Amino acid sequence: MSLFLPKTPTVLSVSELNRHAKAVLEQTFPLLWVGGEISNFTRATSGHWYFTLKDGQAQVRCAMFRHKSQYVDFRPENGMHVEVRALVTLYEARGEYQLSVESMRRAGLGALFEAFEKLKAKLAAEGLFEETRKQALPVFPRCIGIVTSPAAAALRDVLTTLRRRMPNIPVVLYPTPVQGEGAGQKIAQALQLADSRNECDVLILCRGGGSIEDLWAFNEEVVARAIAASSIPVISGVGHETDITIADFVADRRAPTPTAAAELATPHRADLHQRLDALHARLSRQTSRSLEQRMQQLDYLARRLVHPGTRIEAQLQHLNHLRQRQQQAASRALEQQEWRVQRLASRLARSAPAPQLLQAQQQQLGQRLELAMGQLLQHRQATLQRLAASLQHLNPEAVLERGFSMVRSASGKLVRSSADIALHEELSITFAHGSANASVTRKEEAT
């Protein structure tokens, strides 16, 4: 307590005391299993469960909240013996010690589950669950054996299914108790009897649903080994789809229900009729195609089977045809050679010299040359005269002939304006014929 109480003496409030007490309980006790009888069971509107767990000397309050209680697979009732996995705690508001329940199971199931898992691990280690040792079911069984109780409702379901699917298959019943003291040993004996008599092609081991205690005979080792030792394929159809037994793991096939086991054991009559119809149609199609191919082959052989005289006549016609083709080929080759010879002769004739023709061509070329030279000289003379006239117009002496003159300054620069000379400046005047010097005595500016 010194770990939770203050080091210095003080007065605790009730809530502080309860909080420390809760801490002590939760840290002292681990998550554990507690067994007892349910009383004062209450299901709140929130989905939480509240009840008392008691035995002959004491009781303890329990609370199981909705997110945990929804996984319980049975309905708890007052007087029911259960085992709960819970955490010891304290409800601080009222200072009440209680169990906070995590999970719940019927009393005694823990030992059953432990025995189930132990046997399952043992048989699995021996290889009894391996697929390689399991036998295939016959496609068309001649006889079906049923190992179950004559009073079991599952037997009626199996017989009804077999009658509906394949009513012509005989059925042999190997009666045995499927529940209660010694049921496992008797089920194994029934399996051994069916195996020794060897009158069936497949065995159906079945019973209806129930609690784990009701189905426990199918979890016994003697039954598992009898199934494994059977030379006849065994179908296990025990309980409902959610029920799993050791027999299911050892059996050659596991069916979720007895009815499903009967369906696995037999082909459906309607399916067989449908399959036969499909095979008949397929055989008819293949037969028709084969006959058509044979008829086509017969027609082909008939066309190939001809009279010897007809074949000789056809060969003669073929030879005549080949002779005609050879003559035509020879004629075409001769024509081609003649045409080639004519073409070479023509080329040779064109290549031979002709003196008279060459002399005529030479004279004609001389005349054409003289004519071309005369025309060229005339063209050159006309061009020269045109250029001379153009030069004559540009000659400054021709301008002087018309009465004009050129005035140059003393430096020899051509005078174009009175602004270019000064008074008393000596000027040189050139006329069409001769020249003179002059002095500037007066000048007028251009306006």
Side-chain angles (χ1 to χ4, degrees), residues 218-285:
F218 298 91
N219 291 322
E220 295 187 14
E221 183 175 358
V222 64
V223 175
R225 296 197 178 279
I227 295 174
S230 175
S231 61
I232 304 173
V234 179
I235 302 175
S236 174
V238 179
H240 301 301
E241 187 170 357
T242 56
D243 297 323
I244 300 295
T245 64
I246 296 295
D248 294 331
F249 293 105
V250 186
D252 298 291
R253 289 292 295 275
R254 186 249 175 185
T257 62
T259 300
E263 293 177 351
L264 286 176
T266 57
H268 199 289
R269 181 172 50 181
D271 295 339
L272 291 178
H273 283 309
Q274 184 177 1
R275 185 178 177 186
L276 286 174
D277 291 340
L279 291 174
H280 180 267
R282 181 179 175 184
L283 180 61
S284 298
R285 289 193 300 269

Side-chain angles (χ1 to χ4, degrees), residues 108-119:
L109 293 187
L112 292 179
F113 280 123
E114 184 178 356
F116 177 89
E117 292 296 334
K118 184 177 180 180
L119 179 59

Side-chain angles (χ1 to χ4, degrees), residues 11-170:
V11 178
L12 297 177
S13 65
V14 175
S15 59
E16 290 174 336
L17 177 62
N18 288 348
R19 185 167 60 253
H20 290 309
K22 178 181 180 182
V24 170
L25 288 173
E26 291 180 353
Q27 296 187 19
T28 302
F29 293 94
L31 195 63
L32 45 78
W33 284 96
V34 180
E37 178 185 336
I38 294 177
S39 64
N40 300 322
F41 183 83
T42 303
R43 181 180 289 103
T45 56
S46 60
H48 306 325
W49 294 351
Y50 301 97
F51 56 94
T52 301
L53 198 63
K54 65 180 183 178
D55 57 17
Q57 290 78 31
Q59 65 180 18
V60 62
R61 290 185 178 274
C62 302
M64 190 173 191
F65 300 103
R66 182 172 60 86
H67 64 283
K68 303 290 180 60
S69 64
Q70 62 181 341
Y71 296 107
V72 178
D73 58 356
F74 63 93
R75 182 184 181 89
E77 296 178 356
N78 291 328
M80 181 180 291
H81 289 270
V82 296
E83 295 172 351
V84 297
R85 190 165 184 259
L87 180 68
V88 181
T89 185
L90 184 138
Y91 182 45
E92 295 183 36
R94 289 201 298 267
E96 294 179 349
Y97 145 76
Q98 66 178 20
L99 298 180
S100 178
V101 179
E102 297 288 324
S103 60
M104 179 187 297
R105 67 190 182 194
R106 293 184 178 89
L109 293 187
L112 292 179
F113 280 123
E114 184 178 356
F116 177 89
E117 292 296 334
K118 184 177 180 180
L119 179 59
K120 178 182 174 183
K122 175 183 177 181
L123 298 181
E126 295 181 14
L128 266 65
F129 300 164
E130 295 293 334
E131 290 294 330
T132 54
R133 58 154 297 277
K134 296 187 177 183
Q135 306 176 71
L137 301 182
V139 179
F140 298 102
R142 293 170 298 176
C143 183
I144 298 175
I146 303 176
V147 180
T148 190
S149 171
L155 177 60
R156 294 191 296 272
D157 296 338
V158 170
L159 293 176
T160 300
T161 304
L162 294 178
R163 190 180 304 112
R164 171 174 52 85
R165 293 174 64 86
M166 289 295 289
N168 59 322
I169 297 180

